[in-house]
Amino acid sequence: MTELVPGGNVPLPGGPLTLRVPGPFDVSALVTGDDGKVRGDADFVFFNQPTAPGARLTGDTLTVDPAALRPGATRVTVVVSPADPGTPLGRLPSPGLQVTGPGGRALARFTPPALRQETVLLLAEIYRRGDAWKLRALGQGYGDGLAGLARDFGVEVVEEPAPAPQPFIPAPRAPVSAPPRAPFSAPFRTPVSAPPPPTGAAASQAGADGYLGLVNSARAQAGSPPVSLDARLSSAAQAHAASMAAAGRLGVEGGDGVSVYQRVVTAGFTFLTIGEHLVSGPRTPSDFVAYVLRTEQPRRTLSNAAFTHAGLGQVAEPRSGDIFWTALWARPFTAADLARTAAEVTELTNRERIRAGLRPLAPDPLLTVAAQAHSADMVARDFYSHTAPDGSRPWDRAAAAGARRRSVGENIACGQRSAGEVVTGWMNSPGHRANILKPDFTHIGIGLAGGGRSGTYWTQLFGA
């Protein structure tokens, strides 16, 4: 069985899958195609509508048979919300996903990092890659409630006004023109009298005008140092905005299958850490910055003191005129920052061991070489696994680096943006936590590399 962290994925066998989320939660699912939109309200599976072709909800358990999904379906997004609509997820235990395959075989588990005020969690997704199906852990909080999330997927929701939250009823059809919105945000309303948006190079230049001053003013109010615009980040942002506009949907991966992080590396910017805002709707840089500052998670990204450089791209979708924005925030890679971040991961890991009454781990330069090589390899060869495409495993990589340890363990993660975030994610996952707190381990090596489909790829290599 695979223990997943946010961004991790696992291949699925053929046949029906059972996904269970025990606890005080409501489970829902949205069936979509490559465009990320439902075809109609029948694609929304929730407590008032527990079945759809290939999907059935029974209590806390969702059964999905990918082969039986409606034609054109390529993705099933599993959603969790509090059973009590007035309770934020931060007041509840982290929902744990248990996935089993045919015959009751345990396939994967995923416990996302703790949330705060978010009211909905995109927990995981089943998606088709070529002729095969995979499960990806998401762990993405969302602040608009279940009704807001459903709208973002194209479900037209009718909410009856009442003093307390009420169940909502999907309307008979899904509007095909519903514009996508960024997670953690309410919809951005564009005035009908707004002038036509610029396109192409004019849009890129218009987006840069005044943007840096707005951003750095907001950062100063948060006590963060200013950022500078970087032409490579802006080039990558513009390319990703164009790809999203061409596909008519927001996504870390554009319509061409290339992730925004891959575009950054291709543009020549090697990063240590990175953040992004993917938004549609605002018409001007001022509107865009105001939109980002409205909710906590996007505001934290904009004001993150770790970021030193920024880039902005905007492209109008040709049919609807909606503007797709990509804002990038990054810190360039340096050897000193790499060493500092690796030392911070080691310190946080040892803090957990000391708290559990265990001896701290000593840094091992050879394990560090192997860990760094694996993180870089996952980026370069576009995979995420303990087993590399050449078949090598953690102990093989440790031996190849010259380490002579009688036992070796490995934790990997992708998508986390800081040492604190990645160690917290590992500690919230039973399998990764067991490695961190294994009494036999005496040494550790840390590696991290930016790029690939999921941002930063992290490796912890343990030895005894």
Side-chain angles (χ1 to χ4, degrees), residues 3 9 23 41 45 49 77 97 107 147 156 179 185 196 215 228 231 238 247 277 290 315 321 325 334 436 445:
E3 295 281 355
N9 64 74
D41 296 330
V45 178
Q49 184 173 270
T77 302
L97 174 65
L107 299 176
E156 186 173 318
S185 302
V215 163
S228 58
Q238 186 70 13
H277 290 125
V315 173
W325 299 77
T334 66
I436 288 175

Side-chain angles (χ1 to χ4, degrees), residues 4 7-14 17 19 64 66 69 74-78 99 107-108 124-137 382-385 453:
L4 294 172
N9 64 74
V10 61
L12 297 172
L17 306 164
L19 300 94
V64 177
L69 294 171
T74 59
R75 193 175 304 264
V76 178
T77 302
V78 182
V99 185
L107 299 176
E125 62 182 2
I126 298 167
Y127 65 101
R128 190 172 68 195
R129 179 73 69 186
D131 294 330
W133 289 83
K134 292 186 174 184
L135 172 78
R136 178 186 287 125
D382 192 19
F383 73 97
Y384 177 72
S385 174
R453 295 184 184 274

Side-chain angles (χ1 to χ4, degrees), residues 190-212:
T190 302
V192 295
S193 60
T199 59
S204 180
Q205 182 58 45
D209 289 344
Y211 175 70
L212 189 61

Side-chain angles (χ1 to χ4, degrees), residues 10 36 57 74 91 127 131 236 248 284 323 325 346 370 397 399 416 442 455:
V10 61
L57 179 63
T74 59
R91 296 183 187 173
Y127 65 101
D131 294 330
T284 67
I323 302 178
W325 299 77
T346 299
R397 295 188 286 272
Q416 293 80 8
T442 57

Side-chain angles (χ1 to χ4, degrees), residues 3 7 13 33 36 60 135 144 148 150 159 220 262 313 319 322 328 432 437:
E3 295 281 355
D60 62 5
L135 172 78
D144 264 0
E159 294 180 281
Q262 290 169 316
R319 290 159 295 185
D322 290 337
L328 294 173
H432 299 85
L437 301 182

